[in-house]
């Protein structure tokens, strides 16, 4: 193209069109994936949730709470050391995180890595939620375990305790409570009568409906990942029956979408 032709082409451009074209390219360039922080990345469930979310590509970086610094070997995952059990005394960390996931499964003692990770106790939930909120978390996911078949009907679709009500009132943009039946540990030791009694009590697990049984950790982790991708603002409670239905469905996304579209998810008053 000759210099004269190039000059005439540039002069013919409308400056407003150039400005609009530049603005259209900015959202894609400035799009920033949220950060993730995980408390309780222990046990089979915690390991699966961490693996699923950290590898999903939906988060720029994942921070895992631990008792002491340690190496992860993964560029997109780092350890955030916290000192002591007094969460109120923890310093507010300027972490670039918008999503927090809290689980309560104890560490497997034969995993050295898990013994170094920090796992909250249920009584620490309000203090931990307040700390996460101060760190900038806007979306909070709580995986709340309960004994199979022992969750009262009235608590399956709403807030079950004062602690959960306190968390809901902290001002998070989105709160997701997943009520998941916890696999009961096998009894260890004990006398012969105690073993017999434990065996007799274990037969009652066959009387628990399938929808109230624990689900596989990998499927629960997949459920959390799917819900986070489409969860609207508000407080949402996943009943055990919904969780079971979702993990059994060939297309989990359809079950989750139908649940959210019905508007029947429980929200705090």
């Amino acid at each position: 193209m000759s210099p004269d032709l190039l000059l005439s082409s540039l002069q013919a451009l409308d400056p407003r069109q150039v400005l609009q074209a530049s603005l259209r390219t900015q959202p894609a360039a400035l799009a920033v994936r949220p950060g993730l922080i995980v408390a309780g990345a222990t046990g089979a469930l915690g390991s699966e949730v961490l693996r699923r979310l950290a590898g999903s590509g939906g988060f720029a970086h994942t921070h895992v709470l631990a008792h002491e610094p340690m190496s992860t070997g993964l560029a997109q995952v780092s350890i955030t050391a916290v000192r002591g059990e007094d969460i109120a005394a923890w310093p507010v960390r300027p972490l670039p995180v918008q999503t927090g996931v809290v689980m309560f499964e104890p560490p497997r003692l034969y995993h050295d890595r898990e013994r170094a990770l920090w796992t909250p106790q249920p009584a620490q939930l309000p203090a931990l939620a307040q700390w996460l909120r101060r760190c900038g978390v806007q979306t909070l996911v709580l995986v709340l375990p309960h004994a199979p078949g022992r969750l009262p009907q009235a608590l399956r679709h709403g807030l079950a305790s004062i602690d959960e009500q306190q968390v809901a009132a902290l001002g998070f943009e989105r709160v997701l409570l997943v009520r998941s039946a916890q696999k009961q540990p096998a009894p260890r030791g004990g006398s012969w009568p105690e073993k017999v009694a434990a065996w007799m009590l274990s037969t009652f697990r066959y009387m628990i409906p399938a929808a109230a049984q624990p689900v596989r950790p990998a499927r629960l982790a997949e459920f959390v990942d799917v819900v986070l991708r489409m969860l609207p603002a508000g407080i949402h409670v996943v009943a055990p029956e919904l969780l079971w239905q979702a993990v059994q469905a060939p297309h989990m996304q359809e079950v989750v979408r139908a649940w959210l579209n019905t508007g029947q998810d429980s929200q705090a008053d």
Side-chain angles (χ1 to χ4, degrees):
M1 178 179 294
S2 65
D4 294 338
L5 183 58
L6 177 60
L7 179 60
S8 61
S9 299
L10 292 176
Q11 291 175 344
L13 290 177
D14 187 345
R16 292 174 299 178
Q17 294 178 343
V18 177
L19 179 60
Q20 291 174 356
S22 64
L23 291 177
R24 281 197 297 268
T25 61
Q26 285 185 2
L30 297 178
V32 178
R33 292 176 298 165
L36 172 69
I37 186 168
V38 180
T42 52
L45 174 61
S47 178
E48 286 291 342
V49 170
L50 178 60
R51 181 189 65 82
R52 179 86 188 191
L53 296 183
S56 66
F59 298 96
H61 198 81
T62 300
H63 302 267
V64 181
L65 298 186
H67 293 287
E68 57 190 30
M70 57 184 290
S71 176
T72 64
L74 299 174
Q76 70 275 21
V77 179
S78 62
I79 296 298
T80 298
V82 292
R83 301 295 183 183
E85 297 298 323
D86 184 8
I87 301 175
W90 290 359
V92 176
R93 299 178 179 272
L95 302 175
V97 294
Q98 291 79 38
T99 301
V101 177
V102 178
M103 295 167 286
F104 299 93
E105 187 173 358
R108 295 168 290 190
L109 298 180
Y110 51 86
H111 286 248
D112 292 336
R113 176 187 62 84
E114 291 189 5
R115 289 202 297 267
L117 298 179
W118 185 81
T119 303
Q121 299 298 319
Q124 295 175 305
L125 175 58
L128 177 60
Q130 292 176 13
W131 182 77
L132 292 172
R133 188 70 185 88
R134 293 197 301 269
C135 290
V137 170
Q138 293 289 336
T139 299
L140 180 64
V141 179
L142 305 175
V143 182
L144 303 169
H146 64 269
R150 297 185 183 179
L151 186 66
Q153 182 68 33
L155 302 181
R156 296 182 182 184
H157 303 276
L159 303 178
S161 65
I162 295 178
D163 288 348
E164 293 181 7
Q165 295 175 5
Q166 291 178 350
V167 171
L170 289 176
F172 290 99
E173 180 181 344
R174 304 186 300 174
V175 177
L176 175 67
L177 296 90
V178 182
R179 303 207 184 282
S180 173
Q182 187 178 43
K183 185 177 180 180
Q184 299 301 298
R188 296 182 179 181
S191 62
W192 182 80
E194 291 175 337
K195 293 180 180 179
V196 173
W199 172 79
M200 295 179 65
L201 291 175
S202 68
T203 60
F204 287 103
R205 70 176 182 270
Y206 299 106
M207 303 174 61
I208 300 176
Q213 296 282 359
V215 301
R216 290 191 295 115
R219 293 291 281 169
L220 199 157
E222 180 183 358
F223 176 83
V224 172
D225 184 22
V226 169
V227 175
L228 276 176
R229 293 176 184 272
M230 58 183 75
L231 188 68
I235 301 169
H236 311 268
V237 181
V238 178
E241 296 82 3
L242 173 64
L243 177 61
W244 180 263
Q245 179 186 359
V247 301
Q248 298 300 317
H251 302 288
M252 184 182 296
Q253 295 86 345
E254 296 180 0
V255 176
V256 173
R257 188 175 294 109
W259 167 60
L260 294 175
N261 289 340
T262 58
Q264 294 178 355
D265 48 299
S266 299
Q267 300 194 9
D269 296 332

